[in-house]
Amino acid sequence: MPAIQTFAYDVLIIGAGGAGLRAAIEATARGATVGLICKSLLGKAHTVMAEGGMAAAMANVDDRDSWQVHFADTMRGGQYVNNWRMAELHAREAPDRVRELEAWGAVFDRTDDGRILQRNFGGHRYPRLAHVGDRTGLELIRTLQDHTVHMGVVVHMEHTVIELLRDGGRIAGALAYDRERGRFHLFAARAVVLATGGIGRAYRVTSNSWESTGDGHALAYRAGAELIDMEFVQFHPTGMVWPPSVKGILVTEGVRGEGGILTNREGRRFMFDDIPENYRAQTAADAEEGWRYTQGDRNARRPPELLTRDHVARCIVREIKEGRGSPHGGVFLDIAWIKEKLPNAAEHIRRKLPSMYHQFKELADLDITREPMEVGPTTHYIMGGIRVDAETQQSSVPGLFAAGECAAGINGANRLGGNSLSDLLVFGKRAGEHAADWARSQGPTGIDDALVDAVMRGALEPFDRGGDSENPYAIQSTLQDTMQDLVGIVRTGPELEEALARIDGLWTRTGRAGVSGHREYHAGWHTCLDLRNLLVVAEAIARSALERPESRGGHFRDDFPARDPACATFNVVVVRGPDGHMQVSRAPIPPMPAALVRIIEEEA
Ligand SMILES: Cc1cc2nc3c(=O)[nH]c(=O)nc-3n(C[C@H](O)[C@H](O)[C@H](O)COP(=O)(O)OP(=O)(O)OC[C@H]3O[C@@H](n4cnc5c(N)ncnc54)[C@H](O)[C@@H]3O)c2cc1C
């Protein structure tokens, strides 16, 4: 094996978004030595893009809120296939995690009497999202990052992990390359926390950054961990649709929380046409009641634009498919209309939604205080991911932990907006704590040189094949089209089978993908390595979607359009079989304790 630089830590954290940073802080606080690796520069993780806020039942704006209501909302939103213990822990612990963030210096928007302000969001019964205008992720990252640096965590920026390494059954470290020189680095650790975020780049239209290539999902899978719920992908209802260069960029749900309405080309507010039975009692009877809700009237119910994301996205797709869409293939999202209600509407919109105002002004030459936006669904979040223990966040591989978007369970079939940022804090903390404890309890691990050598050789194969072979960008582009067209918002069995056949072909082509030149900042080579992760994720989503013959949350089957109670009893599990092929099975959901069932019944 050629000499490579080696680092050793008690706990290695892969990912510097909200989950990774919070885990790093906690593991360090418990006395562990911690190394943190991220693909881009510190502060650039995808979390920085989060806009609307973090959900926590602090009851600052409406004193009827409580952890119990938050728990019930999360379970209803997830259509009851959530890991109920994670949903409970999240609802109970989120308020403390938000207050802790404030104590570390996060400057939230305030109520008139100086408490953290909370805003409305889809599926949350009461105003619950602590926020900083529409730049909440920036404040969260800034605060956690400052704290991480002060605690002395060693950060390896612009390093990409390509494989996890095991010692027998236990995790022992990871192999990474740096972007600048393309050199390999070995990281030995007794515990590893995956906090690598989402998978959006497997699809053509996405709100996710270039980093979201499902690395953690695939690294865990190859290391032998189980993935669950991979069929549940969230398509956010409102992404930009025009101009083409910005298609998919998110338009925060905060716009609807502030009173924005969805209309079709006929000017009809179509969301009133289709209100699901289980939300009817919580939804406004008319536009007037909906408006009063957004302005904080405790006696009003939420407008239908604030129904869960899966439902709103499907209603938008229906309008477009039936010919009532906007000129560029979306529908209209109108916040400018509130000038009928507020004398200083333009200033109000610019203050409440500064990023949205600038985003449309700069990118689409449109003033949202005067005109409606054009929006359509965009791939946004994956509810599925690494199966973890609710208390410790440990995966099925000893010593391997996961937190944040790459872990699964809390959201079930659909995530409520705002629940991710608080998830990062609650479960990032737990992962850091338990990873540090695990590392302390374990003896030393060893890493086999031959294994490291084989991983490096495999990673360099694209250079052996040279630049005249298959083009990695072309393969990724075909994959994105396949996922967008065949494994998107509306799915059918034959289309999923067709997607799997195409993915199989893309695996073969990836085995022939080649590049030429030096290893420094070599984006083509990086794409070759990304493809191995993207294809695992794509295959896992398509296979899991076939295994669930019903429609639930983010997973809609045109050939099984109804929810099937028999399918509410299991999660779909994906694991790498002994022959290297993907195996799919069903894991029964454990029965919920009576006390939690009662909460759900009382809050229905
Ligand atoms: C535009 C937008 C707005 C959003 N707004 C909200 C909101 O208001 N409220 C809310 O709750 N949620 C929101 N979300 C969702 C939320 O932001 C994400 O789910 C969350 O930030 C994910 O955080 P994370 O820590 O899991 O991962 P990320 O923040 O995605 O960080 C992943 C980290 O892993 C690193 N990484 C990945 N692969 C590797 C590898 N192979 N080697 C080394 N490092 C690696 C990356 O470099 C990065 O540092 C929004 C999402 C988007 C796209």
Side-chain angles (χ1 to χ4, degrees):
M1 182 178 84
I4 59 171
Q5 199 174 12
T6 302
F7 302 88
Y9 300 103
D10 296 332
V11 177
L12 179 69
I13 295 175
I14 306 175
L21 290 170
R22 188 62 191 82
I25 291 168
E26 202 59 26
T28 311
R30 290 180 89 85
T33 58
V34 176
L36 179 66
I37 309 185
C38 51
K39 284 207 277 197
S40 57
L41 297 172
L42 195 59
K44 295 265 184 183
H46 177 77
T47 298
V48 81
M49 294 160 76
E51 295 165 351
M54 55 193 87
M58 294 186 291
N60 286 354
V61 172
D62 194 318
D63 58 15
R64 292 170 297 180
D65 205 7
S66 64
W67 77 261
Q68 289 91 339
V69 186
H70 191 181
F71 166 74
D73 285 353
T74 301
M75 293 299 294
R76 186 185 298 109
Q79 303 201 0
Y80 305 106
V81 290
N82 322 49
N83 177 321
W84 45 259
R85 178 63 178 153
M86 284 178 82
E88 180 192 0
L89 288 171
H90 171 250
R92 281 182 186 271
E93 295 177 6
D96 280 349
R97 295 290 77 78
V98 174
R99 286 186 206 106
E100 179 179 71
L101 203 64
E102 186 185 38
W104 292 344
V107 184
F108 289 99
D109 286 6
R110 322 297 303 178
T111 59
D112 288 342
D113 61 353
R115 291 179 293 169
I116 294 175
L117 183 60
Q118 299 187 268
R119 68 159 43 120
N120 290 311
F121 240 53
H124 293 283
R125 183 179 293 195
Y126 302 119
R128 191 176 282 149
L129 267 68
H131 60 277
V132 185
D134 54 6
R135 294 173 183 149
T136 311
L138 176 62
E139 188 67 0
L140 184 142
I141 281 279
R142 186 193 63 75
T143 307
L144 290 179
Q145 197 174 289
D146 284 358
H147 214 66
T148 306
V149 171
H150 281 129
M151 293 191 79
V153 173
V154 182
V155 184
H156 301 267
M157 289 188 260
E158 298 203 306
H159 280 56
T160 301
V161 170
I162 52 172
E163 216 65 87
L164 297 176
L165 304 167
R166 288 189 325 183
D167 178 5
R170 271 167 64 192
I171 210 76
L175 188 77
Y177 69 84
D178 67 77
R179 297 184 89 73
E180 189 181 358
R181 307 295 300 274
R183 287 186 181 157
F184 293 109
H185 304 272
L186 183 60
F187 294 86
R190 275 172 287 173
V192 170
V193 179
L194 288 167
T196 50
I199 58 91
R201 290 284 153 175
Y203 285 82
R204 168 70 61 206
V205 180
T206 180
S207 62
N208 289 190
S209 79
W210 66 270
E211 296 192 285
S212 304
T213 45
D215 296 9
H217 293 75
L219 290 168
Y221 169 82
R222 285 198 291 271
E226 293 172 331
L227 306 180
I228 57 165
D229 294 341
M230 291 297 285
E231 68 277 29
F232 297 127
V233 176
Q234 180 165 81
F235 299 92
H236 193 291
T238 58
M240 292 180 80
V241 296
W242 184 259
S245 57
V246 299
K247 191 166 179 166
I249 291 183
L250 194 76
V251 182
T252 175
E253 195 163 314
V255 175
R256 286 170 281 144
E258 298 295 339
I261 58 172
L262 289 164
T263 58
N264 62 19
R265 73 182 317 142
E266 295 157 3
R268 184 173 175 77
R269 202 167 159 187
F270 58 87
M271 285 307 303
F272 273 107
D273 298 341
D274 186 354
I275 297 168
E277 212 36 60
N278 59 336
Y279 279 98
R280 190 167 292 281
Q282 294 185 7
T283 306
D286 54 32
E288 190 53 36
E289 184 182 357
W291 167 250
R292 284 194 282 111
Y293 175 90
T294 63
Q295 300 311 294
D297 182 340
R298 289 164 55 104
N299 298 316
R301 292 167 299 174
R302 69 166 84 90
E305 280 84 359
L306 290 178
L307 285 163
T308 54
R309 291 176 173 177
D310 53 330
H311 179 73
V312 180
R314 277 194 297 277
C315 288
I316 291 175
V317 169
R318 185 194 58 215
E319 293 305 302
I320 298 167
K321 270 194 175 161
E322 294 178 5
R324 295 185 294 274
S326 64
H328 299 106
V331 294
F332 295 107
L333 172 62
D334 190 2
I335 184 76
W337 82 276
I338 68 172
K339 58 181 173 283
E340 294 169 22
K341 298 283 186 185
L342 299 177
N344 56 347
E347 187 197 324
H348 178 82
I349 293 167
R350 280 197 295 269
R351 185 164 45 82
K352 286 286 186 183
L353 301 163
S355 298
M356 288 303 105
Y357 176 75
H358 287 290
Q359 182 172 311
F360 275 89
K361 203 82 186 111
E362 298 293 325
L363 301 178
D365 194 23
L366 185 139
D367 181 348
I368 66 169
T369 68
R370 293 165 178 270
E371 293 169 83
M373 300 155 249
E374 277 189 76
V375 295
T378 180
T379 313
H380 186 58
Y381 183 91
I382 184 154
M383 277 66 77
I386 302 156
R387 188 181 196 183
V388 289
D389 174 70
E391 315 290 331
T392 65
Q393 298 293 106
Q394 186 158 204
S395 74
S396 44
V397 174
L400 181 62
F401 297 75
E405 190 170 341
C406 72
I410 178 190
N411 298 298
N414 176 55
R415 175 180 71 96
L416 300 186
N419 268 1
S420 174
L421 294 190
S422 39
D423 162 10
L424 310 182
L425 298 175
V426 168
F427 293 110
K429 176 182 188 294
R430 281 181 167 268
E433 177 184 332
H434 290 281
D437 290 354
W438 169 271
R440 196 179 313 117
S441 71
Q442 297 298 306
T445 51
I447 296 178
D448 181 359
D449 285 353
L451 175 63
V452 176
D453 205 25
V455 175
M456 289 193 297
R457 246 198 281 272
L460 292 173
E461 274 175 12
F463 286 103
D464 301 336
R465 291 190 282 265
D468 296 332
S469 338
E470 282 273 5
N471 179 332
Y473 298 113
I475 301 173
Q476 185 178 3
S477 180
T478 309
L479 175 66
Q480 289 174 330
D481 286 340
T482 302
M483 294 303 284
Q484 192 74 32
D485 297 344
L486 304 176
V487 198
I489 300 183
V490 178
R491 302 158 176 180
T492 66
E495 284 179 352
L496 292 169
E497 298 279 9
E498 168 66 21
L500 283 166
R502 288 197 205 170
I503 290 166
D504 199 37
L506 293 173
W507 272 118
T508 309
R509 285 177 61 190
T510 298
R512 297 196 296 257
V515 293
S516 59
H518 300 288
R519 278 154 63 176
E520 286 88 357
Y521 284 114
H522 197 314
W525 178 41
H526 304 165
T527 301
C528 289
L529 299 176
D530 288 348
L531 278 170
R532 301 181 317 161
N533 301 330
L534 286 164
L535 286 167
V536 166
V537 163
E539 186 178 337
I541 295 172
R543 287 200 189 284
S544 303
L546 262 179
E547 187 64 20
R548 185 171 284 284
E550 63 155 355
S551 293
R552 184 180 296 269
H555 169 68
F556 189 87
R557 288 278 299 261
D558 220 11
D559 42 357
F560 297 97
R563 216 172 343 155
D564 179 353
C567 294
T569 57
F570 64 82
N571 297 112
V572 176
V573 181
V574 162
V575 71
R576 190 177 197 212
D579 61 357
H581 288 111
M582 199 172 274
Q583 291 181 348
V584 183
S585 61
R586 297 175 178 187
I589 297 175
M592 203 186 299
L596 294 182
V597 174
R598 249 194 323 277
I599 290 173
I600 289 176
E601 285 167 358
E602 282 164 12
E603 301 302 336

